[in-house]
Amino acid sequence: MCGITGYIGDSQAAPILIGALKKLEYRGYDSAGIAVLNEDGFTIRKTKGQLSVLEKKLENETISGSLGIGHTRWATHGEPSDINSHPHTDVSGRITVVHNGIIENYLSLKEWLQARDVVFISDTDTEVIAHLINYHIQEEAREKHGLLRAVQKVLARLEGSYALAIAATDYPDRIIAVRKDSPLVIGIGRGENIIASDIPALLSHTRDVIYMEDGEIAVIYRDHVEMLNAAGDRVIRPVFHVDWDAEAAEKGGYTHFMLKEIHDQAAALSDTLRPRLKDNEIVFEEPGIDESFEGAERIVITACGTAWHAAIVGKYVFEQLARIPVEVDIASEYRYRNPVQGRNDVFIVISQSGETADTLAAMRLAKKNGNRILAVTNVVGSTLAREADMKLYTRAGPEIAVASTKAFTTQLMCLYLLALKLGRRRGFIGDEDYKEYIQALSRIPSQAEKLLAKQDLIQRFASQQFNKAKVFFMGRQVDYAIGLESALKLKEISYTHSEAFAAGELKHGPIALVDKNTLVVTVATQKRLFDKIISNIREISSRGGASLVITWEGETVFAPVAGEVFAIPRTEDCFSPILSIIPAQLFAYYCSILRGNNPDKPRNLAKSVTVE
Ligand code: F6R
């Protein structure tokens, strides 16, 4: 996720672009840049680091020009650096582009351009767009609509998701904006127009906006906008008046970043999965991943907190799908014991931030002992990503709320892809099963969306239960792992005492705590264990505890024993965690609100634990 903007009008563009980028910084903050056009061509200033670094750079400089585009980046291709920052230009420097999204076929396009002697400067997928426009614009002889036609030809060659703002020195009266599967809105001003990835960036200029539809292209002039639909036909789109308050708008209309990020999950899961599926086959664009398990005899996974819970799910999944032994350890434990490591262990490290001190220390220890390190992380260019031998990126986009949500589910998606690929290579998954698993994964983003549409049910349940003194989560196998993650979510933002246990452990101790002030949430997706889980729930109810069961849609066995049942869409049993965690995230969120807390900033907690 990145933020893009563009301005054309009578005012100086640079301060307006910076102002807009400030409002978009929540979409990405590892680098930023602007390009402003005047009679001498483009002035481009871009830099690694937060927007404040760019602002500092511009402090003693006046950049004149009343047309410009800007970008705040969250790296996906190429680590954060000055060179990889946007805007990107073609070889002539006459075309500049900012991009939010992923060009899935950029490698083949890059090779095609390189075969035509185009020299690339950055490692980004975006740069191909600038070069391709330059290539196709040669065919247009600088006609009135030459830039538009060149852009249309380029779009026909792009696969993936993108919102683009494009400017060219030969067309100084316009910006071209394009939207496909990434958001883009046009703010309609008086004698000026401004585009941005999100409404908050427009609000200090105008509240009249056009929401671009997928596949649409807009040619933005200072005094009017021309729009074309995906078929290339001119369309007139309605202008909406936005009356959101500016702060709510920054969260996309959600009251908190956490709620927004819970809702981001459908898109984040799709962004993590889609670029890695080609013709029903899992293909990792990241170098070395396919070979990383060659000759592996064991997998060791370490992480902290939520990422550790993803690792526990990973253990069950690797063992089931790839029949390989897996050991999981908390990074802070691993680093201080004297682990027995095999030379043929593959060491997977999971971390949203890629900067967690204990996780880095565990990774360094394993590296020193000669293990291959595969990092699953959300932050391109993080310490973990730089030091690991191989990296697989979650494409969750920036996670602002302290409590991790979309990072967790995208970590699970990455682990599923790895386990499926490995299971196939090791001969434990046949053709038909592989196809079915891939189809099941492909349905997950829309199933997550369907599930999120039922959030009112969880909100209502939370309003009845938020004052419980104790909340326990139980489950078996992957459901136990989801219990652990659910309990962590609830305790960290609602400050309710919550614990998780493997349901089989109930009688070994935890049941002593169950009374009428206890809520027990059971995650039940492993059908072969339903009878045992039903007995566990009965034991809770007979001691006065309230009970909620999270299980599959259409499953009727729990209604007679549980107080409440919440249904999730059906998928393969081992993929259930990616869906069953969503109601628990929502439950934690609503309990936090009902208890008067700020779920985005829980007490005593920091987003990234970079010290021990
Ligand atoms: C919980 C949470 C933390 C992190 C943990 C590891 O909601 O966010 O438990 O999961 O601090 O952080 P990363 O994944 O950045 O290494």
Side-chain angles (χ1 to χ4, degrees), residues 303-309 350-357 359 376-377 384 399 401-405 407 411 485 488-489 492-493 605-609:
C304 298
T306 288
W308 173 59
H309 298 149
I350 309 174
S351 171
Q352 186 284 129
S353 62
E355 301 294 348
T356 301
T359 308
V376 175
T377 182
L384 182 61
E399 201 177 54
V402 166
S404 190
T405 52
Q411 283 160 359
E485 171 59 7
L488 177 65
K489 285 289 90 82
E492 69 182 328
I493 58 170
L605 293 175
K607 181 71 189 157
S608 188
V609 186

Side-chain angles (χ1 to χ4, degrees), residues 28-32 47-50 72-76 80-81 85 379-380:
Y29 42 75
D30 61 37
S31 34
T47 182
K48 178 183 166 180
Q50 296 198 351
T72 180
R73 182 166 187 244
W74 183 258
T76 58
S81 68
S85 309
V379 182
V380 177

